[in-house]
Amino acid sequence: MTSIAFVDAIGRQFRRPVLGASEYVELALLTFFFASLALVVRDDSQIRVGLFADLYKPRLAAIERVFTGVVETLVLIGIAYMIFDQAGRLSRFGTVTYFLKIPVAPWVFGAAVMCVIAVWFGILNLTKLKPQPTPRPHALPEGEN
């Protein structure tokens, strides 16, 4: 993807751009993004922001982890549904890329499948949640309110 963009940028300076370079880059970006989404969910390495997460008691921290995991998985299900729906529309209309005349629907179906794989990893992560995570160093003791 980077090589195509680089060669295309140099070629434009000499009025010889790579034909269809933007489409190659777009399709590669689509593939890499959704493949990496599945890998990020598999490794449970999403970015999470908790304002006062270090101050939670262990029980509240466990509830927050479960709630966050469920919401993340539900959002991934929604995204997968929307992508499958879009792929179906693109297939029905016979949408092709402008320059290369490649059908777009198979690429979007591939993205949807990778999103379903991410959903699967999200569900597996929910089953691996520990009910009592280890307390953080700044967490309030169990007896304090």
Side-chain angles (χ1 to χ4, degrees), residues 58-105:
R59 181 176 206 98
L60 183 58
I63 292 170
E64 186 233 359
R65 287 183 48 152
V66 170
F67 177 77
T68 304
V70 168
V71 169
E72 288 170 355
T73 305
L74 290 175
V75 168
L76 283 172
I77 290 170
I79 292 171
Y81 171 77
M82 291 189 312
I83 295 172
F84 268 115
D85 183 55
Q86 184 65 30
R89 290 180 192 179
L90 292 169
S91 179
R92 282 192 305 274
F93 295 132
T95 307
V96 295
T97 60
Y98 179 76
F99 185 79
L100 299 174
K101 304 296 185 211
I102 298 172
V104 178

Tab-separated table of all heavy atoms in Angstrom, residues 58-105:
chain	number	residue	atom	x	y	z
A	58	PRO	N	-12.755	-3.316	43.948
A	58	PRO	CA	-12.655	-4.501	43.078
A	58	PRO	C	-13.992	-4.946	42.482
A	58	PRO	O	-14.048	-5.323	41.315
A	58	PRO	CB	-12.082	-5.573	44.008
A	58	PRO	CG	-11.324	-4.803	45.036
A	58	PRO	CD	-12.069	-3.529	45.227
A	59	ARG	N	-15.053	-4.883	43.275
A	59	ARG	CA	-16.351	-5.322	42.760
A	59	ARG	C	-16.840	-4.395	41.637
A	59	ARG	O	-17.319	-4.851	40.607
A	59	ARG	CB	-17.373	-5.381	43.881
A	59	ARG	CG	-18.729	-5.846	43.415
A	59	ARG	CD	-19.681	-5.979	44.602
A	59	ARG	NE	-20.682	-6.945	44.264
A	59	ARG	CZ	-20.676	-8.214	44.617
A	59	ARG	NH1	-19.719	-8.686	45.368
A	59	ARG	NH2	-21.633	-9.021	44.255
A	60	LEU	N	-16.702	-3.087	41.829
A	60	LEU	CA	-17.105	-2.130	40.805
A	60	LEU	C	-16.216	-2.252	39.567
A	60	LEU	O	-16.687	-2.124	38.438
A	60	LEU	CB	-17.072	-0.706	41.353
A	60	LEU	CG	-17.541	0.400	40.416
A	60	LEU	CD1	-18.985	0.136	39.961
A	60	LEU	CD2	-17.437	1.746	41.096
A	61	ALA	N	-14.935	-2.524	39.762
A	61	ALA	CA	-14.024	-2.718	38.627
A	61	ALA	C	-14.447	-3.937	37.806
A	61	ALA	O	-14.401	-3.907	36.574
A	61	ALA	CB	-12.594	-2.869	39.120
A	62	ALA	N	-14.873	-5.003	38.478
A	62	ALA	CA	-15.328	-6.206	37.772
A	62	ALA	C	-16.608	-5.918	36.992
A	62	ALA	O	-16.750	-6.348	35.839
A	62	ALA	CB	-15.551	-7.343	38.757
A	63	ILE	N	-17.530	-5.186	37.603
A	63	ILE	CA	-18.774	-4.824	36.917
A	63	ILE	C	-18.471	-3.963	35.694
A	63	ILE	O	-19.035	-4.162	34.621
A	63	ILE	CB	-19.736	-4.104	37.882
A	63	ILE	CG1	-20.239	-5.082	38.944
A	63	ILE	CG2	-20.901	-3.473	37.136
A	63	ILE	CD1	-20.993	-4.426	40.085
A	64	GLU	N	-17.547	-3.024	35.866
A	64	GLU	CA	-17.181	-2.153	34.747
A	64	GLU	C	-16.555	-2.944	33.613
A	64	GLU	O	-16.839	-2.712	32.439
A	64	GLU	CB	-16.212	-1.069	35.223
A	64	GLU	CG	-15.905	-0.039	34.174
A	64	GLU	CD	-14.431	0.170	33.939
A	64	GLU	OE1	-13.610	-0.475	34.604
A	64	GLU	OE2	-14.106	0.964	33.057
A	65	ARG	N	-15.713	-3.904	33.913
A	65	ARG	CA	-15.083	-4.732	32.880
A	65	ARG	C	-16.115	-5.531	32.105
A	65	ARG	O	-16.049	-5.638	30.886
A	65	ARG	CB	-14.057	-5.667	33.503
A	65	ARG	CG	-12.800	-4.955	33.955
A	65	ARG	CD	-11.823	-5.945	34.477
A	65	ARG	NE	-11.735	-7.044	33.496
A	65	ARG	CZ	-10.694	-7.797	33.313
A	65	ARG	NH1	-9.635	-7.604	34.039
A	65	ARG	NH2	-10.683	-8.752	32.428
A	66	VAL	N	-17.081	-6.117	32.818
A	66	VAL	CA	-18.119	-6.897	32.145
A	66	VAL	C	-18.984	-5.983	31.284
A	66	VAL	O	-19.264	-6.281	30.119
A	66	VAL	CB	-18.980	-7.669	33.171
A	66	VAL	CG1	-20.197	-8.283	32.514
A	66	VAL	CG2	-18.151	-8.734	33.860
A	67	PHE	N	-19.398	-4.850	31.841
A	67	PHE	CA	-20.235	-3.901	31.098
A	67	PHE	C	-19.519	-3.425	29.835
A	67	PHE	O	-20.095	-3.406	28.745
A	67	PHE	CB	-20.602	-2.706	31.989
A	67	PHE	CG	-21.398	-1.658	31.278
A	67	PHE	CD1	-22.748	-1.848	31.020
A	67	PHE	CD2	-20.800	-0.485	30.846
A	67	PHE	CE1	-23.486	-0.889	30.345
A	67	PHE	CE2	-21.525	0.482	30.178
A	67	PHE	CZ	-22.875	0.281	29.929
A	68	THR	N	-18.255	-3.050	29.971
A	68	THR	CA	-17.481	-2.576	28.833
A	68	THR	C	-17.330	-3.665	27.777
A	68	THR	O	-17.470	-3.413	26.581
A	68	THR	CB	-16.095	-2.099	29.292
A	68	THR	OG1	-16.259	-1.109	30.291
A	68	THR	CG2	-15.298	-1.526	28.146
A	69	GLY	N	-17.052	-4.888	28.207
A	69	GLY	CA	-16.910	-5.996	27.259
A	69	GLY	C	-18.193	-6.281	26.503
A	69	GLY	O	-18.166	-6.532	25.287
A	70	VAL	N	-19.326	-6.232	27.206
A	70	VAL	CA	-20.614	-6.476	26.550
A	70	VAL	C	-20.917	-5.365	25.542
A	70	VAL	O	-21.340	-5.639	24.416
A	70	VAL	CB	-21.740	-6.603	27.600
A	70	VAL	CG1	-23.107	-6.572	26.952
A	70	VAL	CG2	-21.575	-7.886	28.404
A	71	VAL	N	-20.689	-4.118	25.941
A	71	VAL	CA	-20.954	-3.001	25.025
A	71	VAL	C	-20.041	-3.082	23.799
A	71	VAL	O	-20.495	-2.888	22.662
A	71	VAL	CB	-20.801	-1.645	25.752
A	71	VAL	CG1	-20.809	-0.491	24.772
A	71	VAL	CG2	-21.895	-1.471	26.783
A	72	GLU	N	-18.772	-3.390	23.994
A	72	GLU	CA	-17.851	-3.518	22.862
A	72	GLU	C	-18.322	-4.598	21.896
A	72	GLU	O	-18.304	-4.409	20.678
A	72	GLU	CB	-16.447	-3.857	23.347
A	72	GLU	CG	-15.734	-2.732	24.029
A	72	GLU	CD	-14.445	-3.165	24.700
A	72	GLU	OE1	-14.137	-4.383	24.709
A	72	GLU	OE2	-13.739	-2.289	25.216
A	73	THR	N	-18.755	-5.723	22.418
A	73	THR	CA	-19.203	-6.825	21.575
A	73	THR	C	-20.493	-6.462	20.842
A	73	THR	O	-20.645	-6.765	19.651
A	73	THR	CB	-19.387	-8.101	22.412
A	73	THR	OG1	-18.158	-8.380	23.101
A	73	THR	CG2	-19.750	-9.286	21.548
A	74	LEU	N	-21.422	-5.797	21.530
A	74	LEU	CA	-22.670	-5.380	20.875
A	74	LEU	C	-22.392	-4.369	19.758
A	74	LEU	O	-23.027	-4.422	18.697
A	74	LEU	CB	-23.636	-4.795	21.900
A	74	LEU	CG	-24.251	-5.789	22.883
A	74	LEU	CD1	-25.097	-5.062	23.921
A	74	LEU	CD2	-25.071	-6.841	22.148
A	75	VAL	N	-21.462	-3.464	19.977
A	75	VAL	CA	-21.110	-2.497	18.939
A	75	VAL	C	-20.498	-3.217	17.738
A	75	VAL	O	-20.818	-2.906	16.582
A	75	VAL	CB	-20.160	-1.423	19.496
A	75	VAL	CG1	-19.545	-0.594	18.386
A	75	VAL	CG2	-20.898	-0.525	20.478
A	76	LEU	N	-19.647	-4.192	17.984
A	76	LEU	CA	-19.060	-4.961	16.877
A	76	LEU	C	-20.134	-5.719	16.099
A	76	LEU	O	-20.059	-5.816	14.870
A	76	LEU	CB	-18.013	-5.938	17.403
A	76	LEU	CG	-16.668	-5.342	17.771
A	76	LEU	CD1	-15.800	-6.383	18.465
A	76	LEU	CD2	-15.970	-4.806	16.540
A	77	ILE	N	-21.132	-6.244	16.802
A	77	ILE	CA	-22.241	-6.930	16.119
A	77	ILE	C	-22.980	-5.944	15.229
A	77	ILE	O	-23.315	-6.258	14.075
A	77	ILE	CB	-23.184	-7.594	17.144
A	77	ILE	CG1	-22.491	-8.785	17.802
A	77	ILE	CG2	-24.487	-8.031	16.482
A	77	ILE	CD1	-23.235	-9.354	18.993
A	78	GLY	N	-23.235	-4.743	15.736
A	78	GLY	CA	-23.909	-3.721	14.938
A	78	GLY	C	-23.107	-3.331	13.711
A	78	GLY	O	-23.653	-3.181	12.611
A	79	ILE	N	-21.806	-3.168	13.887
A	79	ILE	CA	-20.942	-2.821	12.752
A	79	ILE	C	-20.942	-3.946	11.716
A	79	ILE	O	-21.044	-3.689	10.511
A	79	ILE	CB	-19.516	-2.510	13.233
A	79	ILE	CG1	-19.506	-1.207	14.041
A	79	ILE	CG2	-18.545	-2.417	12.059
A	79	ILE	CD1	-18.189	-0.929	14.732
A	80	ALA	N	-20.847	-5.189	12.171
A	80	ALA	CA	-20.856	-6.325	11.243
A	80	ALA	C	-22.168	-6.368	10.462
A	80	ALA	O	-22.169	-6.588	9.241
A	80	ALA	CB	-20.645	-7.634	12.001
A	81	TYR	N	-23.272	-6.124	11.148
A	81	TYR	CA	-24.570	-6.124	10.472
A	81	TYR	C	-24.618	-5.031	9.394
A	81	TYR	O	-25.056	-5.273	8.263
A	81	TYR	CB	-25.706	-5.915	11.475
A	81	TYR	CG	-27.033	-5.687	10.808
A	81	TYR	CD1	-27.743	-6.737	10.257
A	81	TYR	CD2	-27.536	-4.401	10.677
A	81	TYR	CE1	-28.951	-6.530	9.613
A	81	TYR	CE2	-28.741	-4.174	10.035
A	81	TYR	CZ	-29.439	-5.241	9.504
A	81	TYR	OH	-30.623	-5.024	8.859
A	82	MET	N	-24.165	-3.833	9.746
A	82	MET	CA	-24.208	-2.724	8.786
A	82	MET	C	-23.311	-2.996	7.587
A	82	MET	O	-23.659	-2.649	6.448
A	82	MET	CB	-23.803	-1.415	9.469
A	82	MET	CG	-24.839	-0.931	10.467
A	82	MET	SD	-24.571	0.727	11.137
A	82	MET	CE	-22.877	0.703	11.603
A	83	ILE	N	-22.162	-3.623	7.813
A	83	ILE	CA	-21.255	-3.900	6.701
A	83	ILE	C	-21.832	-4.984	5.798
A	83	ILE	O	-21.752	-4.894	4.571
A	83	ILE	CB	-19.857	-4.276	7.228
A	83	ILE	CG1	-19.256	-3.083	7.948
A	83	ILE	CG2	-18.944	-4.707	6.088
A	83	ILE	CD1	-17.973	-3.386	8.662
A	84	PHE	N	-22.436	-6.034	6.386
A	84	PHE	CA	-23.088	-7.049	5.563
A	84	PHE	C	-24.221	-6.431	4.746
A	84	PHE	O	-24.393	-6.745	3.561
A	84	PHE	CB	-23.646	-8.191	6.421
A	84	PHE	CG	-22.694	-9.326	6.603
A	84	PHE	CD1	-22.198	-9.632	7.855
A	84	PHE	CD2	-22.297	-10.103	5.528
A	84	PHE	CE1	-21.322	-10.681	8.040
A	84	PHE	CE2	-21.413	-11.162	5.698
A	84	PHE	CZ	-20.928	-11.441	6.954
A	85	ASP	N	-24.985	-5.544	5.361
A	85	ASP	CA	-26.073	-4.874	4.659
A	85	ASP	C	-25.534	-4.047	3.490
A	85	ASP	O	-26.072	-4.080	2.383
A	85	ASP	CB	-26.852	-3.988	5.639
A	85	ASP	CG	-28.035	-3.321	4.987
A	85	ASP	OD1	-28.876	-4.042	4.395
A	85	ASP	OD2	-28.137	-2.077	5.068
A	86	GLN	N	-24.466	-3.301	3.736
A	86	GLN	CA	-23.868	-2.486	2.675
A	86	GLN	C	-23.319	-3.364	1.562
A	86	GLN	O	-23.463	-3.036	0.380
A	86	GLN	CB	-22.762	-1.601	3.249
A	86	GLN	CG	-22.160	-0.654	2.261
A	86	GLN	CD	-23.139	0.390	1.761
A	86	GLN	OE1	-24.052	0.788	2.463
A	86	GLN	NE2	-22.949	0.837	0.549
A	87	ALA	N	-22.693	-4.472	1.910
A	87	ALA	CA	-22.156	-5.379	0.891
A	87	ALA	C	-23.282	-5.946	0.028
A	87	ALA	O	-23.130	-6.082	-1.186
A	87	ALA	CB	-21.363	-6.498	1.547
A	88	GLY	N	-24.398	-6.270	0.663
A	88	GLY	CA	-25.549	-6.756	-0.103
A	88	GLY	C	-26.062	-5.715	-1.079
A	88	GLY	O	-26.399	-6.030	-2.232
A	89	ARG	N	-26.116	-4.472	-0.639
A	89	ARG	CA	-26.562	-3.401	-1.530
A	89	ARG	C	-25.599	-3.217	-2.698
A	89	ARG	O	-26.019	-3.058	-3.846
A	89	ARG	CB	-26.677	-2.082	-0.768
A	89	ARG	CG	-27.808	-2.052	0.209
A	89	ARG	CD	-27.854	-0.739	0.923
A	89	ARG	NE	-28.761	-0.829	2.049
A	89	ARG	CZ	-28.995	0.148	2.869
A	89	ARG	NH1	-28.376	1.311	2.721
A	89	ARG	NH2	-29.832	0.001	3.865
A	90	LEU	N	-24.312	-3.212	-2.396
A	90	LEU	CA	-23.321	-3.054	-3.455
A	90	LEU	C	-23.406	-4.198	-4.455
A	90	LEU	O	-23.234	-3.994	-5.661
A	90	LEU	CB	-21.918	-2.968	-2.856
A	90	LEU	CG	-21.620	-1.707	-2.046
A	90	LEU	CD1	-20.306	-1.864	-1.291
A	90	LEU	CD2	-21.593	-0.486	-2.937
A	91	SER	N	-23.681	-5.390	-3.960
A	91	SER	CA	-23.808	-6.554	-4.838
A	91	SER	C	-25.055	-6.429	-5.721
A	91	SER	O	-25.001	-6.708	-6.923
A	91	SER	CB	-23.871	-7.824	-3.998
A	91	SER	OG	-24.025	-8.949	-4.816
A	92	ARG	N	-26.185	-6.030	-5.124
A	92	ARG	CA	-27.423	-5.892	-5.895
A	92	ARG	C	-27.289	-4.842	-6.996
A	92	ARG	O	-27.818	-5.012	-8.086
A	92	ARG	CB	-28.590	-5.513	-4.972
A	92	ARG	CG	-29.142	-6.669	-4.173
A	92	ARG	CD	-30.464	-6.323	-3.514
A	92	ARG	NE	-30.420	-5.123	-2.676
A	92	ARG	CZ	-30.049	-5.095	-1.407
A	92	ARG	NH1	-29.681	-6.220	-0.815
A	92	ARG	NH2	-30.051	-3.976	-0.724
A	93	PHE	N	-26.599	-3.754	-6.702
A	93	PHE	CA	-26.454	-2.686	-7.684
A	93	PHE	C	-25.299	-2.937	-8.660
A	93	PHE	O	-25.142	-2.195	-9.623
A	93	PHE	CB	-26.250	-1.331	-6.996
A	93	PHE	CG	-27.438	-0.886	-6.211
A	93	PHE	CD1	-27.279	-0.426	-4.915
A	93	PHE	CD2	-28.717	-0.932	-6.737
A	93	PHE	CE1	-28.372	-0.015	-4.171
A	93	PHE	CE2	-29.808	-0.518	-6.008
A	93	PHE	CZ	-29.645	-0.062	-4.718
A	94	GLY	N	-24.478	-3.944	-8.389
A	94	GLY	CA	-23.359	-4.256	-9.272
A	94	GLY	C	-22.286	-3.176	-9.273
A	94	GLY	O	-21.680	-2.902	-10.308
A	95	THR	N	-22.043	-2.586	-8.127
A	95	THR	CA	-21.078	-1.493	-8.023
A	95	THR	C	-19.668	-1.991	-8.290
A	95	THR	O	-19.233	-2.997	-7.733
A	95	THR	CB	-21.149	-0.855	-6.618
A	95	THR	OG1	-22.498	-0.494	-6.365
A	95	THR	CG2	-20.256	0.354	-6.516
A	96	VAL	N	-18.959	-1.259	-9.150
A	96	VAL	CA	-17.567	-1.577	-9.468
A	96	VAL	C	-16.722	-0.333	-9.227
A	96	VAL	O	-17.234	0.788	-9.179
A	96	VAL	CB	-17.399	-2.057	-10.929
A	96	VAL	CG1	-18.125	-3.368	-11.168
A	96	VAL	CG2	-17.856	-1.001	-11.919
A	97	THR	N	-15.418	-0.535	-9.089
A	97	THR	CA	-14.516	0.606	-8.920
A	97	THR	C	-14.452	1.390	-10.231
A	97	THR	O	-14.708	0.847	-11.306
A	97	THR	CB	-13.112	0.149	-8.498
A	97	THR	OG1	-12.577	-0.699	-9.505
A	97	THR	CG2	-13.143	-0.571	-7.172
A	98	TYR	N	-14.086	2.644	-10.129
A	98	TYR	CA	-14.131	3.536	-11.293
A	98	TYR	C	-13.104	3.159	-12.361
A	98	TYR	O	-13.437	3.031	-13.528
A	98	TYR	CB	-13.909	4.984	-10.837
A	98	TYR	CG	-13.917	5.966	-11.968
A	98	TYR	CD1	-15.123	6.342	-12.560
A	98	TYR	CD2	-12.733	6.502	-12.462
A	98	TYR	CE1	-15.144	7.232	-13.620
A	98	TYR	CE2	-12.751	7.399	-13.515
A	98	TYR	CZ	-13.952	7.759	-14.086
A	98	TYR	OH	-13.974	8.644	-15.130
A	99	PHE	N	-11.870	2.970	-11.956
A	99	PHE	CA	-10.812	2.756	-12.950
A	99	PHE	C	-10.589	1.278	-13.251
A	99	PHE	O	-10.537	0.878	-14.407
A	99	PHE	CB	-9.500	3.397	-12.481
A	99	PHE	CG	-8.411	3.308	-13.502
A	99	PHE	CD1	-8.374	4.189	-14.569
A	99	PHE	CD2	-7.433	2.332	-13.415
A	99	PHE	CE1	-7.381	4.097	-15.532
A	99	PHE	CE2	-6.443	2.232	-14.371
A	99	PHE	CZ	-6.424	3.120	-15.431
A	100	LEU	N	-10.450	0.468	-12.218
A	100	LEU	CA	-10.111	-0.948	-12.410
A	100	LEU	C	-11.315	-1.814	-12.773
A	100	LEU	O	-11.152	-2.950	-13.197
A	100	LEU	CB	-9.450	-1.500	-11.142
A	100	LEU	CG	-8.148	-0.820	-10.727
A	100	LEU	CD1	-7.684	-1.344	-9.387
A	100	LEU	CD2	-7.085	-1.026	-11.791
A	101	LYS	N	-12.514	-1.296	-12.554
A	101	LYS	CA	-13.760	-2.021	-12.834
A	101	LYS	C	-13.850	-3.336	-12.050
A	101	LYS	O	-14.341	-4.338	-12.535
A	101	LYS	CB	-13.928	-2.292	-14.329
A	101	LYS	CG	-13.869	-1.056	-15.194
A	101	LYS	CD	-15.001	-0.128	-14.911
A	101	LYS	CE	-14.969	1.047	-15.881
A	101	LYS	NZ	-15.486	2.259	-15.325
A	102	ILE	N	-13.333	-3.313	-10.813
A	102	ILE	CA	-13.398	-4.471	-9.916
A	102	ILE	C	-14.685	-4.374	-9.112
A	102	ILE	O	-15.003	-3.304	-8.588
A	102	ILE	CB	-12.200	-4.480	-8.948
A	102	ILE	CG1	-10.894	-4.607	-9.718
A	102	ILE	CG2	-12.331	-5.588	-7.923
A	102	ILE	CD1	-9.671	-4.435	-8.836
A	103	PRO	N	-15.452	-5.469	-8.979
A	103	PRO	CA	-16.643	-5.409	-8.128
A	103	PRO	C	-16.248	-5.085	-6.678
A	103	PRO	O	-15.300	-5.637	-6.140
A	103	PRO	CB	-17.238	-6.812	-8.227
A	103	PRO	CG	-16.622	-7.420	-9.434
A	103	PRO	CD	-15.299	-6.760	-9.635
A	104	VAL	N	-16.997	-4.188	-6.054
A	104	VAL	CA	-16.684	-3.743	-4.697
A	104	VAL	C	-17.258	-4.692	-3.652
A	104	VAL	O	-16.678	-4.872	-2.577
A	104	VAL	CB	-17.212	-2.304	-4.486
A	104	VAL	CG1	-16.961	-1.828	-3.078
A	104	VAL	CG2	-16.594	-1.360	-5.490
A	105	ALA	N	-18.390	-5.328	-3.960
A	105	ALA	CA	-19.094	-6.151	-2.972
A	105	ALA	C	-18.223	-7.245	-2.344
A	105	ALA	O	-18.273	-7.421	-1.121
A	105	ALA	CB	-20.345	-6.761	-3.590
